[in-house]
Structure formats: C-alpha cells, structure tokens
Amino acid sequence: MANEKKDKRFLLRLDQGLYDRLAEEANRANQSVNMYIVSLLSNNHGTKSFENRQIIGQTVLGKDLNVDHGLAFVSGIYYRYLINDNGNVDTTAKYAVIEANGNILTLQKI
C-alpha cells in the first residue's frame, strides 16, 4: 500500500467571522466546512482560461458583430462567435457572452 494516494493535511487559520461565513455557505451546500473549502479551491485554482475569467458576462452590441466574417471584438481581441439559439444577429440588440471555448464565444441576446 505504499503507492496509495494520501490526502495532505495542513493547519489553516481563519478569523471567526470568515469561518462563520464559510460554515454558513457549507451548510447551505450540504457539505462540511473542510469539503466546502476544498471545493472552492478546486473550482478556482488555475483551471479557468483568460476568456472564462475576463470575457464571460461582458456585453457586445449587435451592431459591433462582424456578420460577414463571424467575428466579435471583445476586450481588444477578435473572437469567432456563435449565437446560443442559432438565430440571426439582431443589430439593434445587446448580447452577453455566456461561454468561451478557445477562441469561440457563445453569445445570448439580452
């Protein structure tokens, strides 16, 4: 059993207010405080791309979408885009970036 993967343990000091908030959130998620902290760290440690961190949630005007080339200009970068309902671009509407996969953004009309 020398190859068995073992969990690492370390002491984490939290002030009482932070612990109480984490305990409350963990309770709502039906998790222990330890598992809740592990899930927070796992979900937020280096797994998200620039696009997922900085682009999702931004809005793009329909008039700023290049329909001929299928490009959207967001935060100084050109991305290919898809409309989430496969509809045509409404040049009078606003779109929210709801997903980023490499250089392709998925937009939803808002």
Side-chain angles (χ1 to χ4, degrees):
M1 296 248 180
N3 292 334
E4 184 178 321
K5 185 177 176 181
K6 294 185 180 182
D7 289 340
K8 301 296 181 194
R9 296 172 185 243
F10 68 97
L11 177 63
L12 177 64
R13 289 184 173 84
L14 304 172
D15 66 54
Q16 189 63 47
L18 177 57
Y19 179 85
D20 291 344
R21 288 193 309 271
L22 287 170
E24 204 171 288
E25 292 171 18
N27 188 43
R28 280 196 295 269
N30 199 27
Q31 294 180 322
S32 69
V33 173
N34 182 74
M35 283 307 302
Y36 185 70
I37 291 171
V38 168
S39 68
L40 287 175
L41 291 171
S42 295
N43 291 337
N44 292 295
H45 184 271
T47 58
K48 294 186 177 182
S49 67
F50 169 79
E51 285 76 16
N52 283 316
R53 291 188 316 268
Q54 300 294 324
I55 305 296
I56 292 181
Q58 288 200 28
T59 59
V60 180
L61 297 176
K63 69 180 181 86
D64 293 335
L65 296 174
N66 185 323
V67 178
D68 294 333
H69 298 287
L71 297 174
F73 190 68
V74 182
S75 294
I77 302 170
Y78 282 101
Y79 292 93
R80 296 226 172 260
Y81 69 86
L82 303 170
I83 305 297
N84 72 321
D85 65 0
N86 293 322
N88 293 325
V89 172
D90 178 352
T91 57
T92 64
K94 282 186 180 179
Y95 292 86
V97 179
I98 60 169
E99 186 179 355
N101 187 2
N103 70 336
I104 301 173
L105 304 179
T106 302
L107 307 177
Q108 179 176 339
K109 187 175 175 180
I110 52 176

